[in-house]
Amino acid sequence: MEHLCSKTLQETPECLPCTHRTYDYSVVHPGPNLNMIVGANGTGKSSIVCAICLCLAGKTAVLGRGDKVGLYVKRGCKKGHVEIELYKRGGNVVIFREIHAENNQSLWMLNDRQCSQKAVEEEVKALRIQVSNLCQFLPQVCLYICNIKLHRCKNIQHVTATWLFASLNKHDVNRYYEKKRHLDVIELLEKKKPWVEYETTRKELEGVKKERDEARKQLSSLKQTQAPMVKKIQQIDEQLKPTEAQIKDKTAAIKEASLKCKQKQDQLDRKNKEIDDIKQKCRLKQMEEEDHQKRISNTRRTIEDLKAELAKVGDQPDVTPRINAVNADLRRIQEERAKIEGEKGDLRREKDNLLLEKKLNDMNNMMNAKVEKLRGRHRDTHAALQWLRQNKQLFRGNVHEPMMLVINVKDHRFAKYVENHISFHDLRAFVFQRKDDMEKFMIEVRDKMNLKVNSICAPEESCSKRPPSRNIESLRRFGFFTYLREMFDAPDEVMSYLCHQYRVHDVPVGNERTKSMIKTVIEEPYLKVLYTTEERYTVKRSFYSNKISTSNSVVHPSQYLTITVDAEEKRQLEQQMKSCESKLRDIDERMKALQKEAVALDRRDNELLAEKKGLSELKGKKRQLEQKISTKQDSLKQMEQNIIDLTKIEEETKEKIAAVNAEKVTIVTAFMAQMKLRAKLTMEKVHLALETVGLTAEKNKLENDCREGASELRTTDQKCSRLEQRKVQLTDQCKGLLKRAKAICKMQPDQSLPEDLRNAFSKLPDTLDEVDAMLNEERSRAECFTGLSENVVDEYNRREQEIKQMEKELEEKSNALNAYRQNISEAKERWLNPLKHLVEQINEKFSAFFRSMQCAGEVDLHSENEEEYDKYGIRIRVKFHATTQLHELTPYHQSGGERSVSTMLYLMALQELNRCPFRVVDEINQGMDPVNERRVFDIVVRTACKETTSQYFFITPKLLQNLTYAEEMTILCIHNGPHMLSPNQWDERAFVRRCLERKARA
């Protein structure tokens, strides 16, 4: 049966009344190999796919068009049915399903006998048909496969091991007695510990008593040693008192003599200064006379020089005419400078009028606001825009920023029409003149920067000037006043794309009058999309019946295009700035020339002023010279009358000095007498001081010795007091410890330590630290013996019997566990090795298909952990560009066309490896570019038309021209409309004959 099912050659789905929304009744006869089901959108191609799925007991979730089977019955019908005939060696299988729309119930029949859905599912399964397997049945809604999981049962090891507790054996009995021995030692240590504490304190008390007695003896000895030194110190104090009084008197007399010596020295200094002052006055008079003679000599020379200069000035001509000429030249320069300043002012004003940067900056600020809106809505596009602005030099053709930035609406009221007509995906799209530039851009921003952006290549032939189908004047009677293209400006490539894709040159915009006449307007031919003041209308005409259907939607307010920047005005401003730049350069050059002329005039003005000043000075110089000569002569007469008599002044100076020297002799005699007296008193004071120093040194030595003894005496006394206090404390402590030790051992106050305890204590440590250490050790050892009780011996015998029984069970379960592990390993090898071999075969064919398209692709078995069998999956990696690396097939990285190509080629790779009766693929070629679509089509034809391959259903709304067809192919053309013939009235031969006759006439 499996062999027969894998060779299924024919499948006949039949749709009877009301099975689908498209058909009332239809019969399809597919071929045994590749079946191309071709038809326009809406004709009912997918209805055939739905019929196959539903009749083979498939789930509605596979189709994705409705969750209830009743939704698949044509509107207005209560029920519908599907019948499929499946080829089977030994007798075909006919499956019938009738669907009731009201209760979503189905009637099933298998080979004309009523049955349950379960029976149909088992029959379909026996024929190896898997409608839910996307590798066999790929409806339109399941177009893109990014990862295929391998579902299979996971064998889970579950090993239960029972650990048998061999508790309370003979060793546990021994441990119980060992614990008891430790507890007995602990009890004995706790009894000895207070006796050890008492004995330690008693020994300390004996030591304190002995130390106190020794301190008392040392204190008595120190007191006897101090008495002779104190007596000697008192005797030295009696000797020092009269000597210190004499030294004090001598010091006062020396001080008085020193004061008198200082007074006489001051008198001598004053007399010396008086002599110096007399000599200084004499020298000043001499210097004053020398200066007086020099001034007289200088004045005479000055008078002679002035007279000589006066004689020269008298010979110079009159300079008044020259001064008048210079003044005239200065007035002319002032006039020329005023003209230059006036011309410079005119040039500055003209330059200010030529500055257009502010207006252009305002326009750029409005453009920046549009860029900020783009960043808020789509950050990836904004990031790509920043990259483009920095790298425009990389592209050969024109590259335009996103449409929403380069489209400029002429009136902000029209922005809503433009924005509602163009999708946001295109508004944020970059527009390229050349396709190679677009591919380079997408590699950078999409592949390398991982940004999600849209890009568009403008038509090779510009459509921006394409005329509308009708002149706007012929539509004004309906209220239309313009076409959408006339409402905005855009670069030529952008406008060309919008005319080609959105036909903005042929979409009229009307007003309220259009709204009121809408029923008449939609009857007009050539109108497919139109706008009124607040609504958009879409008009569709049936190709077969010419009936009109319309849909309308509200025109939403504009979000992005309300900010308008007049591109033409901006371009004119930029051109004006370029022309103004030339004028500004000319003005700057003229300003520089005028500045040079002004500098030259200033230089000439300064020269004339200097000349005028020199002439004026020459004119008044003669009069000044005559006045200076007269003044100097008067001054010379005055100086000659005031001559000083130096001889007289020198004699007076000698007399004054002699008188002062006589006074100095008297002062020096008194000064020497006081100096001798002070020296005598000083020697007497020195002798007394030496005697005092000797006595003081002896006294200090004795005091130091006495002080050291006193300190030792005080320390010893304090030590005695401290030891006495400690003795009292230890005595009380010994009494308390002895009482506590007898109480712990349960002894009477007057009873001595029993002999048995004394013998037991002798075997234990004698120090408190050793007793504590041993006590802690014994307690730790005793605590290790947990869970033991007096019943341990009885429990031991019972447990010994249980252990023998459990050991036998443990051996049996260990053997079972080893066998189970061996089975898991063998099952893994039987499953994984063929699976890896199958994936390698798929990869070989998948890679070959991609290489035939000058691309690369590979398929592998992928799992993070080999032991997690439910995580195994198929990973598909592809590369469509030579400059990129292999990337995993995901919904995000590749384009829609690339995902379609990858999915289709993967199915082709499975064609000969995964045997199934038939395969269904619905509109897989949607989104492919023409080159890839042609390559994929050729691969499908070559693969699906082999004798060994399964039956194939390939559904598509369109086919390229000049494709390669095979004899084994069956072409099923789907037509639909109110005037279509019933299937039983269709004459295929007559249709072919008419086609041939029409071709012959043409």
Side-chain angles (χ1 to χ4, degrees), residues 703-762:
E703 286 179 344
N704 288 335
D705 294 341
C706 188
R707 192 178 301 113
E708 292 175 359
S711 175
E712 187 178 357
L713 182 66
R714 186 167 53 255
T715 302
T716 304
D717 188 27
Q718 293 174 353
K719 182 179 179 181
C720 290
S721 300
R722 188 170 61 254
L723 290 172
E724 183 64 27
Q725 293 176 358
R726 179 61 179 162
K727 182 184 90 59
V728 174
Q729 293 175 354
L730 290 174
T731 301
D732 295 339
Q733 189 173 353
C734 283
K735 292 178 180 179
L737 290 172
L738 180 60
K739 183 178 180 181
R740 176 170 172 268
K742 289 184 176 182
I744 290 175
C745 293
K746 299 178 181 180
M747 296 169 55
Q748 296 298 325
D750 55 348
Q751 183 182 356
S752 60
L753 188 65
E755 189 65 25
D756 57 340
L757 282 179
R758 191 182 303 275
N759 294 333
F761 286 170
S762 64

Coordinates of all heavy atoms in Angstrom, one line a residue, residues 703-762:
E703 N 69.1 65.9 95.6 CA 67.6 65.9 95.4 C 67.2 64.9 94.4 O 66.1 64.3 94.5 CB 67.2 67.3 94.9 CG 67.2 68.4 96.0 CD 66.8 69.7 95.5 OE1 66.8 69.9 94.3 OE2 66.5 70.6 96.4
N704 N 68.0 64.7 93.4 CA 67.7 63.7 92.3 C 67.7 62.3 93.0 O 66.8 61.5 92.7 CB 68.7 63.7 91.2 CG 68.5 64.9 90.3 OD1 67.4 65.5 90.3 ND2 69.5 65.4 89.6
D705 N 68.7 62.0 93.8 CA 68.8 60.7 94.4 C 67.6 60.5 95.3 O 66.9 59.4 95.4 CB 70.1 60.5 95.2 CG 71.3 60.5 94.3 OD1 71.1 60.2 93.1 OD2 72.4 60.8 94.8
C706 N 67.3 61.6 96.1 CA 66.1 61.5 97.0 C 64.8 61.3 96.2 O 63.9 60.6 96.6 CB 66.1 62.7 97.9 SG 64.9 62.6 99.2
R707 N 64.7 62.0 95.1 CA 63.5 61.9 94.3 C 63.3 60.5 93.7 O 62.2 60.0 93.7 CB 63.6 63.0 93.1 CG 62.2 63.2 92.4 CD 62.3 64.3 91.4 NE 62.7 65.5 91.9 CZ 63.9 66.1 91.7 NH1 64.8 65.5 90.9 NH2 64.2 67.3 92.2
E708 N 64.4 59.9 93.2 CA 64.2 58.6 92.7 C 63.8 57.6 93.8 O 63.0 56.7 93.6 CB 65.6 58.1 92.1 CG 66.0 58.9 90.9 CD 67.4 58.5 90.4 OE1 68.0 57.6 91.1 OE2 67.8 59.0 89.3
G709 N 64.4 57.7 95.0 CA 64.0 56.9 96.1 C 62.5 57.1 96.5 O 61.8 56.2 96.8
A710 N 62.1 58.4 96.5 CA 60.7 58.7 96.8 C 59.7 58.1 95.8 O 58.6 57.6 96.2 CB 60.5 60.2 96.9
S711 N 60.1 58.1 94.5 CA 59.2 57.5 93.5 C 59.1 56.0 93.7 O 58.0 55.4 93.6 CB 59.8 57.8 92.1 OG 59.0 57.1 91.1
E712 N 60.2 55.4 94.0 CA 60.2 53.9 94.2 C 59.4 53.6 95.5 O 58.7 52.6 95.6 CB 61.7 53.4 94.3 CG 61.7 51.9 94.4 CD 63.2 51.4 94.5 OE1 64.1 52.2 94.4 OE2 63.4 50.2 94.6
L713 N 59.6 54.5 96.5 CA 58.9 54.4 97.8 C 57.4 54.4 97.5 O 56.6 53.6 98.0 CB 59.3 55.4 98.8 CG 58.7 55.3 100.2 CD1 59.1 54.1 100.9 CD2 59.1 56.6 101.0
R714 N 56.9 55.4 96.7 CA 55.5 55.6 96.4 C 55.0 54.4 95.6 O 53.9 53.9 95.9 CB 55.3 56.9 95.7 CG 53.9 57.3 95.4 CD 53.7 58.7 95.0 NE 54.5 59.0 93.8 CZ 55.6 59.7 93.8 NH1 56.1 60.2 95.0 NH2 56.3 59.9 92.7
T715 N 55.7 53.9 94.6 CA 55.3 52.8 93.8 C 55.1 51.6 94.7 O 54.2 50.8 94.6 CB 56.3 52.5 92.7 OG1 56.5 53.7 91.9 CG2 55.9 51.4 91.8
T716 N 56.1 51.4 95.6 CA 56.1 50.2 96.5 C 54.9 50.2 97.4 O 54.2 49.2 97.6 CB 57.4 50.1 97.3 OG1 58.5 50.0 96.4 CG2 57.4 48.8 98.1
D717 N 54.6 51.4 97.9 CA 53.4 51.6 98.8 C 52.1 51.3 98.1 O 51.2 50.6 98.6 CB 53.4 53.0 99.3 CG 52.4 53.2 100.4 OD1 52.0 52.2 101.1 OD2 51.8 54.3 100.5
Q718 N 52.0 51.8 96.8 CA 50.8 51.5 96.0 C 50.7 50.0 95.7 O 49.6 49.4 95.7 CB 50.8 52.3 94.7 CG 50.7 53.8 94.9 CD 50.9 54.6 93.6 OE1 51.3 53.9 92.6 NE2 50.7 55.9 93.6
K719 N 51.8 49.4 95.4 CA 51.8 47.9 95.2 C 51.3 47.1 96.4 O 50.5 46.2 96.2 CB 53.2 47.5 94.8 CG 53.3 46.0 94.4 CD 54.7 45.6 94.0 CE 54.8 44.2 93.7 NZ 56.2 43.8 93.3
C720 N 51.7 47.5 97.6 CA 51.3 46.9 98.8 C 49.7 47.0 98.9 O 49.1 46.0 99.3 CB 52.0 47.5 100.0 SG 53.7 47.0 100.1
S721 N 49.2 48.2 98.7 CA 47.8 48.4 98.8 C 47.0 47.5 97.8 O 46.0 46.9 98.1 CB 47.4 49.8 98.6 OG 48.1 50.6 99.5
R722 N 47.5 47.5 96.5 CA 46.8 46.7 95.5 C 46.8 45.2 95.8 O 45.8 44.5 95.6 CB 47.5 47.0 94.1 CG 46.8 46.4 92.9 CD 47.4 46.9 91.6 NE 48.8 46.5 91.5 CZ 49.8 47.4 91.6 NH1 49.6 48.7 91.9 NH2 51.1 47.0 91.5
L723 N 48.0 44.7 96.3 CA 48.1 43.3 96.6 C 47.1 42.9 97.8 O 46.6 41.8 97.8 CB 49.5 42.9 97.0 CG 50.5 42.9 95.8 CD1 51.9 42.8 96.2 CD2 50.1 41.8 94.8
E724 N 47.0 43.8 98.7 CA 46.1 43.5 99.9 C 44.6 43.4 99.4 O 43.9 42.5 99.8 CB 46.2 44.7 100.9 CG 45.4 44.5 102.1 CD 45.8 43.2 102.9 OE1 47.0 42.9 102.8 OE2 45.0 42.6 103.6
Q725 N 44.2 44.3 98.4 CA 42.9 44.2 97.9 C 42.7 42.9 97.1 O 41.7 42.3 97.2 CB 42.6 45.4 97.0 CG 42.6 46.7 97.7 CD 42.4 47.9 96.7 OE1 42.4 47.7 95.5 NE2 42.3 49.1 97.3
R726 N 43.7 42.5 96.3 CA 43.6 41.3 95.5 C 43.5 40.1 96.4 O 42.8 39.1 96.1 CB 44.8 41.2 94.6 CG 44.9 39.9 93.7 CD 43.7 39.9 92.8 NE 43.7 38.7 91.9 CZ 42.7 38.3 91.3 NH1 41.5 38.9 91.4 NH2 42.8 37.2 90.5
K727 N 44.2 40.1 97.6 CA 44.2 39.0 98.5 C 42.7 38.8 99.1 O 42.2 37.7 99.2 CB 45.1 39.2 99.7 CG 45.2 38.1 100.7 CD 46.1 38.4 101.9 CE 45.3 39.1 103.0 NZ 44.2 38.4 103.6
V728 N 42.1 39.9 99.4 CA 40.7 39.8 99.9 C 39.8 39.2 98.9 O 38.9 38.4 99.2 CB 40.3 41.2 100.4 CG1 38.8 41.2 100.8 CG2 41.1 41.7 101.5
Q729 N 39.9 39.7 97.6 CA 39.0 39.2 96.5 C 39.2 37.7 96.3 O 38.3 37.0 96.2 CB 39.3 40.0 95.2 CG 39.0 41.4 95.2 CD 39.4 42.1 93.9 OE1 40.1 41.6 93.1 NE2 39.0 43.4 93.8
L730 N 40.5 37.3 96.2 CA 40.8 35.9 96.0 C 40.3 35.0 97.1 O 39.9 33.8 96.9 CB 42.3 35.6 95.7 CG 42.8 36.2 94.4 CD1 44.3 36.0 94.4 CD2 42.2 35.5 93.2
T731 N 40.4 35.5 98.4 CA 39.9 34.7 99.5 C 38.4 34.5 99.4 O 37.9 33.3 99.6 CB 40.2 35.5 100.8 OG1 41.6 35.7 100.9 CG2 39.7 34.7 102.0
D732 N 37.6 35.5 99.0 CA 36.2 35.3 98.9 C 35.9 34.4 97.7 O 35.0 33.5 97.7 CB 35.5 36.7 98.6 CG 35.7 37.6 99.8 OD1 35.9 37.1 100.9 OD2 35.6 38.8 99.7
Q733 N 36.7 34.5 96.6 CA 36.4 33.7 95.4 C 36.7 32.2 95.7 O 36.0 31.3 95.3 CB 37.3 34.2 94.2 CG 37.0 33.6 92.9 CD 37.8 34.2 91.8 OE1 38.5 35.2 92.0 NE2 37.7 33.6 90.6
C734 N 37.8 32.0 96.5 CA 38.1 30.6 96.9 C 37.0 29.9 97.7 O 36.6 28.8 97.5 CB 39.4 30.5 97.7 SG 40.9 30.7 96.6
K735 N 36.4 30.7 98.6 CA 35.3 30.2 99.4 C 34.2 29.8 98.5 O 33.5 28.7 98.7 CB 34.9 31.2 100.4 CG 36.0 31.4 101.5 CD 35.5 32.5 102.5 CE 36.6 32.7 103.6 NZ 36.1 33.8 104.6
G736 N 33.8 30.7 97.5 CA 32.7 30.4 96.6 C 32.9 29.2 95.7 O 32.0 28.4 95.5
L737 N 34.1 29.1 95.2 CA 34.4 28.0 94.3 C 34.4 26.7 95.0 O 34.0 25.6 94.5 CB 35.8 28.2 93.6 CG 35.9 29.3 92.6 CD1 37.3 29.6 92.1 CD2 35.0 29.0 91.4
L738 N 35.0 26.6 96.3 CA 35.0 25.4 97.0 C 33.5 24.9 97.3 O 33.2 23.8 97.2 CB 35.7 25.6 98.3 CG 35.8 24.4 99.3 CD1 36.5 23.2 98.6 CD2 36.6 24.8 100.6
K739 N 32.7 25.9 97.7 CA 31.3 25.6 98.0 C 30.6 25.0 96.7 O 29.8 24.0 96.8 CB 30.6 26.8 98.5 CG 29.1 26.6 98.9 CD 28.5 27.9 99.4 CE 27.1 27.7 99.8 NZ 26.5 29.0 100.3
R740 N 30.8 25.6 95.6 CA 30.2 25.2 94.3 C 30.7 23.8 93.9 O 29.9 23.0 93.4 CB 30.5 26.2 93.2 CG 30.0 25.8 91.8 CD 30.2 27.0 90.8 NE 29.9 26.5 89.5 CZ 30.8 26.1 88.6 NH1 32.0 25.9 89.0 NH2 30.4 25.7 87.4
A741 N 32.0 23.5 94.1 CA 32.6 22.2 93.7 C 32.0 21.1 94.6 O 31.6 20.0 94.0 CB 34.1 22.2 93.9
K742 N 31.8 21.3 95.9 CA 31.2 20.3 96.7 C 29.7 20.1 96.4 O 29.3 19.0 96.4 CB 31.4 20.7 98.2 CG 32.8 20.6 98.7 CD 32.9 21.0 100.2 CE 34.3 20.8 100.7 NZ 34.4 21.0 102.2
A743 N 29.1 21.2 96.0 CA 27.7 21.1 95.6 C 27.5 20.2 94.3 O 26.6 19.4 94.2 CB 27.0 22.5 95.4
I744 N 28.4 20.5 93.3 CA 28.3 19.7 92.1 C 28.6 18.2 92.3 O 27.9 17.3 91.8 CB 29.3 20.3 91.0 CG1 28.8 21.6 90.6 CG2 29.4 19.3 89.9 CD1 29.7 22.3 89.7
C745 N 29.5 17.9 93.3 CA 29.8 16.5 93.6 C 28.9 16.0 94.7 O 29.1 14.8 95.1 CB 31.3 16.4 94.1 SG 32.5 16.8 92.8
K746 N 27.9 16.8 95.1 CA 26.9 16.3 96.1 C 27.6 15.9 97.4 O 27.3 14.8 97.9 CB 26.1 15.2 95.5 CG 25.3 15.5 94.3 CD 24.5 14.4 93.7 CE 23.8 14.8 92.5 NZ 23.0 13.6 91.9
M747 N 28.4 16.8 97.9 CA 29.2 16.6 99.2 C 28.6 17.6 100.2 O 28.1 18.6 99.9 CB 30.7 16.8 99.0 CG 31.3 15.8 98.0 SD 33.0 16.3 97.5 CE 33.7 16.5 99.2
Q748 N 28.9 17.2 101.5 CA 28.5 18.1 102.6 C 29.6 19.2 102.8 O 30.7 19.0 102.3 CB 28.5 17.2 103.9 CG 27.4 16.2 103.9 CD 26.0 16.8 103.8 OE1 25.7 17.9 104.4 NE2 25.1 16.1 103.1
P749 N 29.2 20.3 103.4 CA 30.2 21.5 103.5 C 31.5 21.1 104.2 O 32.6 21.6 103.9 CB 29.4 22.5 104.2 CG 28.0 22.2 103.9 CD 27.9 20.7 103.8
D750 N 31.4 20.2 105.2 CA 32.6 19.8 106.0 C 33.2 18.5 105.5 O 34.1 18.0 106.1 CB 32.2 19.7 107.5 CG 31.1 18.8 107.7 OD1 30.4 18.4 106.7 OD2 30.8 18.5 108.9
Q751 N 32.7 17.9 104.4 CA 33.2 16.6 103.9 C 34.4 16.8 103.0 O 34.4 17.8 102.2 CB 32.0 15.9 103.2 CG 32.4 14.5 102.7 CD 31.3 13.9 102.0 OE1 30.2 14.4 101.9 NE2 31.5 12.7 101.5
S752 N 35.3 15.9 103.1 CA 36.5 16.0 102.2 C 36.2 15.2 100.9 O 35.3 14.4 100.9 CB 37.7 15.4 102.9 OG 37.5 14.1 103.3
L753 N 37.1 15.3 99.9 CA 36.8 14.7 98.6 C 37.0 13.2 98.7 O 38.0 12.7 99.3 CB 37.9 15.2 97.6 CG 37.7 14.7 96.1 CD1 36.4 15.3 95.6 CD2 38.8 15.2 95.3
P754 N 35.9 12.4 98.3 CA 36.0 10.9 98.4 C 37.2 10.3 97.6 O 37.6 10.9 96.6 CB 34.6 10.5 97.8 CG 33.8 11.7 97.9 CD 34.6 12.8 97.8
E755 N 37.6 9.1 98.0 CA 38.8 8.5 97.4 C 38.5 8.1 96.0 O 39.4 8.3 95.1 CB 39.1 7.3 98.3 CG 40.5 6.7 97.9 CD 41.6 7.6 98.1 OE1 41.5 8.5 99.0 OE2 42.7 7.5 97.4
D756 N 37.3 7.6 95.7 CA 37.0 7.2 94.3 C 37.0 8.4 93.3 O 37.6 8.2 92.2 CB 35.6 6.5 94.2 CG 34.5 7.4 94.7 OD1 34.8 8.4 95.4 OD2 33.3 7.1 94.3
L757 N 36.5 9.5 93.8 CA 36.6 10.7 92.9 C 38.0 11.2 92.7 O 38.4 11.6 91.7 CB 35.7 11.9 93.4 CG 34.2 11.8 93.2 CD1 33.5 12.9 93.8 CD2 33.9 11.7 91.7
R758 N 38.8 11.1 93.8 CA 40.2 11.6 93.8 C 41.0 10.7 92.8 O 41.7 11.2 92.0 CB 40.8 11.4 95.2 CG 42.2 12.1 95.3 CD 42.7 11.9 96.7 NE 41.8 12.4 97.7 CZ 41.8 13.7 98.1 NH1 42.6 14.6 97.6 NH2 41.0 14.1 99.1
N759 N 40.7 9.4 92.8 CA 41.4 8.5 91.8 C 41.0 8.8 90.4 O 41.8 8.8 89.4 CB 41.1 7.0 92.2 CG 41.7 6.6 93.5 OD1 42.7 7.2 93.9 ND2 41.1 5.7 94.2
A760 N 39.6 9.0 90.2 CA 39.1 9.3 88.8 C 39.7 10.6 88.3 O 40.0 10.8 87.1 CB 37.6 9.3 88.8
F761 N 39.7 11.6 89.3 CA 40.3 13.0 88.9 C 41.7 12.9 88.5 O 42.2 13.7 87.6 CB 40.0 14.0 90.0 CG 38.6 14.4 90.2 CD1 38.2 15.2 91.3 CD2 37.6 14.1 89.2 CE1 36.9 15.6 91.4 CE2 36.3 14.5 89.4 CZ 36.0 15.2 90.5
S762 N 42.5 12.0 89.1 CA 43.9 11.9 88.8 C 44.2 11.5 87.4 O 45.3 11.8 86.9 CB 44.6 10.9 89.8 OG 44.1 9.6 89.6

